[in-house]
């Protein structure tokens, strides 16, 4: 079955440093989603990437989807303490225009020291 | 609050007991999902519904687990004869198109 792998599992940075997490799939993905889960919270949708080679930015966050649509990355520039949490990539099974099951990676837990 | 609502937030039960969780999705969403999450892992798919129809169940979902969505609105997840390995956060999500909105989850502890 489909597997989504994510590295690193943990990342500790000082406030102001950059952060990157990488996601790899064993199969080609129709699209990829990213979620953030704060400590004690629930996953919150960040973005979806659909096109091969797509790059999207949300303020200090940059998301990339690989040319082969089998890998993706999330890069945070100049981290802040509010960025603390676990970042998950997820490969969805999309049936038509609606969402089927999501295959989540293990997540990268980001800690930011002030 | 018009988000996904789950009850109870916490449940402690003795091994062998049955438990039932409830999820109220965002009202206009026709898809509802159940996931399970353990510490240090990503959410693991259990099952999902489109309206009242259960479209897919994970092979990981044993016969002790059953989910319903009788009127296509709220859903319940029942675990019979709980085991210690069932201890986890049970997350419900709903979706209308391609974005899943998660609830706060029900944390189950089996002692």
């Amino acid at each position: 079955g489909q597997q989504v792998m994510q590295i690193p599992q943990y990342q500790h940075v000082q406030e102001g440093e950059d952060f990157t997490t990488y996601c790899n799939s064993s199969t080609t993905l129709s699209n990829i989603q990213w979620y953030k889960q704060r400590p004690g919270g629930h996953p919150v949708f960040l973005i979806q990437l659909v096109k091969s080679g797509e790059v999207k930015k949300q303020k200090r966050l940059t998301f990339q989807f690989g040319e082969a649509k089998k890998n993706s990355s999330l890069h945070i520039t100049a981290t802040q303490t509010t960025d603390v949490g676990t970042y998950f990539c997820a490969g969805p099974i999309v049936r038509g225009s609606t969402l089927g099951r999501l295959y989540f990676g293990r997540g990268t837990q980001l800690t930011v020291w002030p | 609050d018009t988000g996904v609502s789950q009850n109870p937030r916490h449940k402690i039960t003795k091994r062998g007991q049955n438990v039932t969780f409830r999820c109220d999705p965002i009202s206009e969403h026709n898809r509802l999902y159940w996931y399970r999450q353990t510490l240090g892992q990503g959410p693991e798919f259990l099952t999902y519904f489109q309206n009242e129809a259960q479209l897919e169940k994970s092979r990981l979902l044993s016969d002790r687990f059953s989910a319903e969505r009788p009127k296509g609105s709220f859903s319940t997840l029942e675990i019979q004869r709980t085991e210690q390995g069932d201890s986890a956060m049970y997350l419900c999500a709903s979706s209308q198109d391609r974005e899943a909105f998660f609830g706060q989850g029900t944390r189950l502890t089996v002692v």
Side-chain angles (χ1 to χ4, degrees):
Chain A
Q2 184 173 345
Q3 289 188 346
V4 177
M5 291 150 287
Q6 210 173 333
I7 56 169
Q9 189 175 353
Y10 303 97
Q11 187 77 52
H12 309 281
V13 300
Q14 193 153 20
E15 192 172 20
E17 293 181 339
D18 292 355
F19 159 77
T20 304
T21 174
Y22 301 91
C23 181
N24 289 285
S25 170
S26 57
T27 60
T28 302
L29 300 168
S30 60
N31 58 79
I32 194 159
Q33 298 185 356
W34 285 90
Y35 289 79
K36 177 183 178 180
Q37 187 172 21
R38 293 182 183 275
H42 57 281
V44 174
F45 176 84
L46 294 177
I47 206 162
Q48 176 176 273
L49 303 172
V50 179
K51 298 178 183 177
S52 170
E54 188 171 13
V55 178
K56 286 188 175 180
K57 291 190 176 185
Q58 291 179 349
K59 298 182 180 178
R60 295 177 294 103
L61 277 61
T62 302
F63 303 85
Q64 290 189 316
F65 200 11
E67 293 290 340
K69 301 182 76 173
K70 296 180 75 172
N71 57 75
S72 181
S73 66
L74 158 60
H75 180 82
I76 303 178
T77 303
T79 55
Q80 301 175 357
T81 54
T82 53
D83 295 325
V84 164
T86 301
Y87 293 85
F88 294 100
C89 62
I93 299 296
V94 178
R95 303 182 187 281
S97 62
T98 54
L99 184 66
R101 68 160 67 186
L102 282 166
Y103 291 90
F104 280 85
R106 195 172 181 178
T108 296
Q109 185 176 321
L110 173 64
T111 305
V112 180
W113 295 333
Chain B
D1 187 352
T2 57
V4 178
S5 176
Q6 291 189 246
N7 288 287
R9 294 290 306 277
H10 304 274
K11 178 70 177 179
I12 300 174
T13 190
K14 290 184 178 179
R15 189 174 50 187
Q17 297 293 306
N18 300 343
V19 294
T20 300
F21 310 140
R22 177 178 170 125
C23 172
D24 288 89
I26 295 172
S27 59
E28 63 268 25
H29 287 183
N30 58 11
R31 292 215 162 188
L32 185 148
Y33 312 80
W34 286 98
Y35 286 85
R36 178 172 62 190
Q37 187 176 27
T38 54
L39 195 63
Q41 302 293 327
E44 176 185 52
F45 172 80
L46 294 178
T47 187
Y48 81 89
F49 294 83
Q50 178 163 325
N51 301 314
E52 65 276 8
Q54 190 172 17
L55 294 188
E56 191 173 356
K57 288 174 63 174
S58 168
R59 287 174 293 175
L60 300 173
L61 208 64
S62 77
D63 291 343
R64 297 184 298 105
F65 288 71
S66 62
E68 293 183 343
R69 195 183 183 195
K71 297 182 180 180
S73 56
F74 74 92
S75 175
T76 58
L77 176 68
E78 180 183 17
I79 308 174
Q80 296 182 326
R81 305 181 303 281
T82 52
E83 302 172 355
Q84 285 190 320
D86 297 331
S87 295
M89 176 73 83
Y90 289 83
L91 293 164
C92 175
S94 69
S95 175
Q96 184 66 11
D97 44 45
R98 298 193 178 198
E99 177 180 343
F101 293 83
F102 283 84
Q104 299 273 22
T106 294
R107 181 168 297 283
L108 173 66
T109 303
V110 182
V111 297

